[in-house]
């Protein structure tokens, strides 16, 4: 019999967790390396390894919503999104690697 996983709400929750971790990882990849040090956060390679492991383990082992590895990785992604990302965005003006934006005295134009 065909099993319809997409009807299971825990499947959707697992997809959301993997999507959140993917967004956090891609965001960390696009940020400048010196901004991590300037914001007095851990280094960019540190966050790439942590977020990459969290995402990779979910993709390889399956994102069991109540698995300890999934929850630890989710906490790491939440810490990055709530603490590290805002500090880096504040320093870089919300820019990733693109530092050639037209900036005026009151913001971009």
């Amino acid at each position: 019999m065909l099993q319809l996983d997409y009807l299971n709400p825990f499947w959707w929750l697992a997809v959301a967790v993997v999507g959140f971790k993917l967004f956090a990882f891609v965001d960390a990849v696009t940020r400048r390396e010196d901004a991590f040090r300037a914001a007095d956060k851990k280094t960019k390679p540190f966050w790439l390894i942590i977020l990459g492991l969290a995402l990779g383990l979910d993709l390889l082992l399956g994102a069991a919503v109540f698995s300890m590895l999934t929850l630890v990785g989710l906490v790491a992604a939440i810490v990055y999104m709530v603490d590290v990302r805002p500090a880096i965005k504040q320093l870089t003006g919300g820019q990733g690697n693109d530092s050639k934006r037209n900036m005026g005295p009151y913001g971009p134009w």
Side-chain angles (χ1 to χ4, degrees):
M1 184 169 174
L2 180 65
Q3 189 175 19
L4 301 175
D5 282 339
Y6 63 87
L7 294 177
N8 184 351
F10 291 113
W11 184 84
W12 285 105
L13 187 59
V15 169
V17 166
V18 170
F20 182 72
K21 290 179 183 180
L22 178 64
F23 179 79
F25 180 74
V26 169
D27 185 76
V29 167
T30 61
R31 300 292 169 185
R32 294 182 2 212
E33 198 277 327
D34 60 336
F36 285 83
R37 285 180 278 127
D40 200 25
K41 303 297 176 187
K42 296 287 186 184
T43 63
K44 181 176 181 174
F46 172 83
W47 282 107
L48 290 179
I49 289 169
I50 296 297
L51 295 172
L53 279 174
L55 178 63
L57 288 174
D58 277 355
L59 293 177
L60 288 176
L61 303 176
V65 177
F66 298 111
S67 165
M68 184 61 85
L69 288 175
T70 300
L71 294 177
V72 168
L74 181 61
V75 168
I78 290 170
V79 167
Y80 174 81
M81 293 296 287
V82 172
D83 182 41
V84 179
R85 184 175 187 249
I88 293 172
K89 282 182 74 172
Q90 184 178 18
L91 286 175
T92 61
Q95 303 170 37
N97 285 329
D98 182 21
S99 61
K100 294 181 171 57
R101 289 181 82 182
N102 292 327
M103 292 296 289
Y106 304 109
W109 55 275

